[in-house]
Amino acid sequence: MALLCCVSALMGLGNPAFAQPLPQYTIPELAAAIGEGQLGRIAVLAAEQRGERVYLERFDGETADSPVDIRSAGKSITALAVGAAIADGALADTNVPVWPYLGSPRGEPWDAITVGDLLGMSSAIDCNDWERNSPGQEERMYRKREWREFVLSLPAREYVRDGRGEGPFSYCTAGVFLLGQVVEKATGERFDAYVQRRLFDPLGIDGVVWRRSRSGEIQSGGQLTIDAKALLKIGRMVLDGGRWQGEEILPESWIESMLVPRHRLGEHVYYGNLWWAVPIRSPRGYESAWMMKGNGGNIVALVPAYDAVLVVQARNYNHKDADRHAFTALAAMLTNLDEPAPIAE
């Protein structure tokens, strides 16, 4: 598996830092708990293993193909779009400064911000969605008619790179929106059109709806509405090292570099290039997993040891137990899959 090299450092990790142990359910017990409202508003659960869908259940009364807003889980698709732009020669690499694509230089540390900084949530922009008073907090951006102008006018924060060249982590949706603007300028296509042509069309995905600003800018920082079957396809393509049904969609080298931990955010939580690494409980213990992850408990989890993709779509937006409920569902879905063969000693 292409991802094994990228997650080997995460093997053997324990409980992902929830205050209380997660409930343990079989699939029928999980469905009953969701039906009784014990896990909030989980809309869809889906799983595939070795490229074959093994589970898809709808819990909100909608049809199987009805899309759900996955919020910041959509950020991970922007990382795929950057990889496509590099593969297409529109961007040289992740070390490219962003300001030649966005406007006039502003001086340091702004002029030194790179594509890689935005991918790793480690730029000099004074922006932290987890702090209500941050100048770049995403709700402030949404109030504006033109998001690009808002982001480009933000101040810089105190900023020092470490010995690896990394700036400090700061979760910033506005920076990922700006990354989409860089992709637009580099490719000469509107962000959603480029993603559709370059990524979604080869996967047979349509009907995706992107949030826009009042001036029509595409929110590449998340908040796209998409169905579970499409997310299974995206997850499988990444799990297979950028290939889909034998065709290369993205270079394997991009997938591998994208899924390298850059920041440790908790005892068992890491962040790469707009993808999360968090272990999932399984019948064997805990499994390494890379994730698209968004508000409300929206998760697409790639579990290399099981050769599986798991999807939780939920509307537990801004609910304190959203992640807890999602990880409960992920663990239950793993119990429904074939366990990996034991590793020979």
Side-chain angles (χ1 to χ4, degrees):
M1 294 300 298
L3 296 190
L4 288 178
C5 66
C6 306
V7 297
S8 59
L10 304 177
M11 293 299 291
L13 294 176
N15 193 308
F18 292 104
Q20 299 294 328
L22 298 178
Q24 299 186 38
Y25 292 126
T26 62
I27 286 292
E29 291 169 344
L30 176 68
I34 293 172
E36 294 167 2
Q38 296 180 28
L39 301 179
R41 300 179 63 198
I42 288 182
V44 193
L45 298 178
E48 65 102 89
Q49 188 172 31
R50 296 185 289 272
E52 297 293 330
R53 191 168 75 235
V54 297
Y55 183 70
L56 193 155
E57 190 69 32
R58 195 90 199 194
F59 298 95
D60 60 356
E62 301 287 340
T63 61
D65 294 332
S66 294
V68 175
D69 181 354
I70 62 171
R71 301 294 172 94
S72 284
K75 289 179 169 67
S76 302
I77 293 174
T78 297
L80 300 177
V82 171
I86 292 172
D88 293 346
L91 286 172
D93 53 39
T94 60
N95 295 318
V96 172
V98 300
W99 300 112
Y101 296 92
L102 298 171
S104 302
R106 291 184 55 183
E108 296 299 341
W110 278 88
D111 295 351
I113 295 176
T114 67
V115 167
D117 292 334
L118 297 180
L119 282 168
M121 295 286 191
S122 54
S123 81
I125 301 173
D126 194 353
C127 169
N128 187 342
D129 294 344
W130 299 344
E131 294 184 3
R132 185 182 300 272
N133 295 325
S134 171
Q137 206 272 347
E138 64 178 316
E139 293 302 327
R140 296 173 182 262
M141 182 175 77
Y142 297 145
R143 299 186 196 119
K144 304 296 183 179
R145 175 179 172 78
E146 294 186 1
W147 296 344
R148 177 186 172 115
E149 181 180 336
F150 168 82
V151 184
L152 292 178
S153 66
L154 288 172
R157 57 180 173 140
E158 292 185 11
Y159 189 77
V160 178
R161 296 182 186 272
D162 64 18
R164 301 171 300 153
E166 289 277 12
F169 182 89
S170 185
Y171 192 86
C172 177
T173 294
V176 186
F177 162 74
L178 208 60
L179 193 55
Q181 294 287 293
V182 171
V183 171
E184 282 196 359
K185 183 68 173 179
T187 63
E189 295 182 59
R190 200 173 66 184
F191 183 80
D192 59 337
Y194 181 70
V195 171
Q196 185 65 46
R197 177 181 66 79
R198 190 59 176 76
L199 301 175
F200 290 168
D201 284 347
L203 296 175
I205 295 172
D206 57 20
V208 175
V209 178
W210 298 82
R211 181 175 179 177
R212 300 170 182 240
S213 70
R214 283 175 286 162
S215 63
E217 301 154 309
I218 303 300
Q219 173 53 311
S220 54
Q223 296 187 326
L224 77 160
T225 303
I226 189 170
D227 67 73
K229 292 178 183 177
L231 294 174
L232 287 176
K233 291 179 177 180
I234 293 167
R236 172 50 55 185
M237 184 270 290
V238 175
L239 192 56
D240 284 351
R243 302 187 72 84
W244 173 253
Q245 297 181 345
E247 177 187 354
E248 182 181 281
I249 308 300
L250 292 171
E252 184 174 8
S253 59
W254 175 254
I255 301 299
E256 291 179 350
S257 65
M258 182 180 75
L259 303 180
V260 170
R262 294 178 60 180
H263 303 281
R264 184 176 182 179
L265 304 184
E267 186 178 2
H268 306 300
V269 180
Y270 296 81
Y271 202 76
N273 283 347
L274 303 181
W275 284 72
W276 297 79
V278 189
I280 303 172
R281 189 185 64 212
S282 80
R284 310 188 312 165
Y286 281 85
E287 308 293 340
S288 300
W290 279 97
M291 300 179 180
M292 302 168 57
K293 190 170 178 295
N295 190 346
N298 287 283
I299 295 177
V300 180
L302 317 182
V303 190
Y306 276 71
D307 194 7
V309 180
L310 310 177
V311 172
V312 179
Q313 290 186 287
R315 299 187 180 92
N316 292 317
Y317 303 126
N318 302 316
H319 194 288
K320 65 181 179 66
D321 287 329
D323 276 1
R324 178 180 176 83
H325 295 333
F327 275 83
T328 296
L330 291 170
M333 283 193 284
L334 274 185
T335 69
N336 200 43
L337 301 181
D338 296 334
E339 288 192 33
I343 300 174
E345 296 184 0

